[in-house]
Amino acid sequence: MNYDHIFDQAIGRLHEEGRYRVFIDILRNKGSFPNARCFAGHNGPKPVTVWCSNDYLAMGQHPKVIAAMEEALHDVGAGSGGTRNIGGNTHYHVELEAELADLHGKEAALLFTSGYVSNDATLSTLAKLLPGCVIFSDELNHASMIAGIRNSGCEKRVFRHNDIAHLEELLAAEDPACAKLIAFESVYSMDGDVAPIHAICDLAETYNALTYIDEVHAVGMYGPRGGGISEREEAAHRIDIVEGTLGKAFGVMGGYIAADRRIVDCIRSYAPGFIFTTSLSPVLAAGVLAAVRHLKQSNVEREQQQAAAARLKAILAERGLPVMPSTTHIVPVMVGDPVRAKRIADILLAEYGIYVQPINFPTVPRGSERLRFTPGPAHTDAMLVELADALAEIWTRADLASLRAA
């Protein structure tokens, strides 16, 4: 068995399809994000503007967050020292879980090391605890949700994206007595569209199903206190389990669920992804705690971010660029070819100092490759115009047109 040959072939296939991923070597400039410096060449760092960060509200740069993390670092040190069961449960974790439960109007919350882990661990554990459970999953659900459903070993039914009629058809076909769980997202991050939360909850009540919503791309971003789309739509009380991240709008790292005490206690007690992993550093928990508390009180960041997103969509449309329709802060521009998408991103970085990553399969379906822009409160109008002008110029290049034709 030639192991090296097998691995080389696997990587070679990605190169041939034009979707081999290259990580850009950058450092953000504290206090002046979205400005950063890129170490792409041999002449030292080059200044760049970041357009693809999921630190949507620049809270990773907020003075309150940085001060809280510095204070915690000098108070308790760097790491947590173990799992939550053995030495790794600090007062920062307890306080943060209380704040997150309050954010969503739930009795309890539970921290994980990432949003991926919180989805995987919770969904797989829930379905194992519910005898004969069937999970109904939106076809565009995140890979972490798909992994959790697969790892549960339960039956699953995939409904067409945001298609309420199809979901009801699948629910009606099941045994009324079996356990059911509907899993969906609030904001779908690649298209930027929103789930019909109340309609899904109506079906859940009719067919006696639990509801599980992934608010990863919405917490901090929507609602009067940043509770997400479910808070904005006044639907949070109808959702059984809310899952979110601490690494996007809150600007740090981690994931969580919020639900009633019984459900949270079951996940805490049975989920291997929680039990057998070192807990978040208290330094990270302290930073998130500051971010959550700030965004519960401040709408300034959300308003500025939404204004920047709306402005960018309008400017791109004015330039005749294929900006995809979106009702959220996500601004996707369709390319439709992985080679062309990467080439455009490379030119933006090399010639304009604009950093965005191409989005390729398996994150999106083949043929729907795109550039995904996430303007934030710190992107100025001049930056928005500069980006649109650069894209418009690159879009007309003959060599790129030939790449798409090929």
Side-chain angles (χ1 to χ4, degrees):
M1 177 68 69
N2 188 335
Y3 296 107
D4 289 343
H5 180 65
I6 293 171
F7 296 141
D8 287 340
Q9 281 187 318
I11 296 300
R13 287 194 295 271
L14 297 179
H15 281 290
E16 290 170 4
E17 295 174 18
R19 59 186 185 93
Y20 179 76
R21 302 185 182 206
V22 177
F23 297 159
I24 305 300
D25 185 358
I26 68 170
L27 288 173
R28 303 200 294 177
N29 297 329
K30 175 179 168 289
S32 63
F33 187 75
N35 295 314
R37 52 202 190 274
C38 176
F39 295 81
H42 301 287
N43 298 318
K46 171 186 175 180
V48 297
T49 304
V50 179
W51 283 98
C52 55
S53 175
N54 283 339
D55 185 1
Y56 293 133
L57 302 179
M59 289 304 295
Q61 304 284 309
H62 198 283
K64 288 183 182 178
V65 173
I66 293 171
M69 295 179 75
E70 289 177 340
E71 181 181 349
L73 178 65
H74 293 289
D75 182 26
V76 302
S80 69
T83 67
R84 292 288 291 279
N85 300 290
I86 307 175
N89 185 53
T90 74
H91 189 57
Y92 289 108
H93 296 87
V94 174
E95 281 194 298
L96 179 53
E97 286 174 342
E99 286 287 350
L100 292 168
D102 172 76
L103 178 65
H104 297 290
K106 301 301 181 186
E107 293 179 345
L110 190 66
L111 292 173
F112 294 84
T113 50
S114 74
Y116 189 105
V117 174
S118 56
N119 269 333
D120 187 359
T122 303
L123 285 168
S124 61
T125 302
L126 271 176
K128 288 175 182 175
L129 291 174
L130 296 170
C133 180
V134 178
I135 296 184
F136 300 82
S137 175
D138 188 288
E139 67 177 340
L140 293 189
N141 277 344
H142 189 264
S144 58
M145 301 175 75
I146 295 170
I149 295 168
R150 181 184 299 116
N151 291 337
S152 74
C154 74
E155 291 289 320
K156 69 174 183 295
R157 307 287 182 261
V158 178
F159 61 93
R160 291 186 292 272
H161 178 52
N162 281 348
D163 189 329
I164 295 301
H166 189 216
L167 173 58
E168 180 164 24
E169 178 186 325
L170 294 174
L171 285 164
E174 292 300 327
D175 180 350
C178 80
K180 305 175 187 69
L181 174 68
I182 304 172
F184 62 103
E185 300 183 37
S186 61
V187 173
Y188 289 85
S189 64
M190 292 301 116
D191 290 351
D193 58 343
V194 174
I197 298 177
H198 278 294
I200 291 174
C201 289
D202 289 343
L203 289 181
E205 291 173 3
T206 299
Y207 292 94
N208 192 27
L210 293 174
T211 48
Y212 181 103
I213 190 170
D214 177 315
E215 287 264 33
V216 159
H217 291 275
V219 289
M221 304 290 295
Y222 301 92
R225 301 194 308 155
I229 299 293
S230 58
E231 183 191 28
R232 186 189 74 177
E233 302 299 316
E234 299 183 350
H237 65 286
R238 305 185 70 189
I239 300 292
D240 294 297
I241 303 119
V242 177
E243 185 271 344
T245 184
L246 309 173
K248 292 183 171 60
F250 296 130
V252 189
M253 179 184 176
Y256 68 92
I257 59 165
D260 70 31
R261 293 191 184 281
R262 187 181 296 105
I263 290 175
V264 169
D265 199 20
C266 280
I267 303 304
R268 181 188 70 86
S269 302
Y270 282 94
F274 173 81
I275 296 170
F276 297 106
T277 190
T278 300
S279 66
L280 281 178
S281 161
V283 176
L284 298 176
V288 176
L289 188 59
V292 172
R293 286 173 172 168
H294 175 79
L295 289 174
K296 281 182 177 180
Q297 305 296 325
S298 174
N299 279 309
V300 173
E301 293 81 5
R302 285 188 281 274
E303 291 170 356
Q304 292 177 339
Q305 197 281 332
Q306 289 291 332
R311 174 71 172 137
L312 180 59
K313 291 173 191 176
I315 297 174
L316 293 175
E318 289 170 5
R319 302 294 192 278
L321 293 161
V323 58
M324 299 169 62
S326 163
T327 60
T328 63
H329 59 284
I330 307 296
V331 185
V333 175
M334 179 59 67
V335 179
D337 178 85
V339 176
R340 190 168 189 261
K342 184 178 187 311
R343 180 63 179 141
I344 293 171
D346 289 345
I347 294 172
L348 283 170
L349 183 64
E351 299 183 17
Y352 292 93
I354 290 171
Y355 170 45
V356 63
Q357 281 283 38
I359 306 296
N360 298 325
F361 178 83
T363 307
V364 295
R366 298 179 195 274
S368 67
E369 293 82 5
R370 66 200 65 178
L371 302 176
R372 176 183 175 274
F373 299 95
T374 54
H379 285 94
T380 66
D381 196 65
M383 291 176 179
L384 301 176
V385 172
E386 178 188 24
L387 170 62
D389 287 345
L391 277 173
E393 185 278 319
I394 295 170
W395 227 263
T396 63
R397 297 190 183 187
D399 58 334
L400 288 170
S402 65
L403 277 177
R404 181 161 57 178

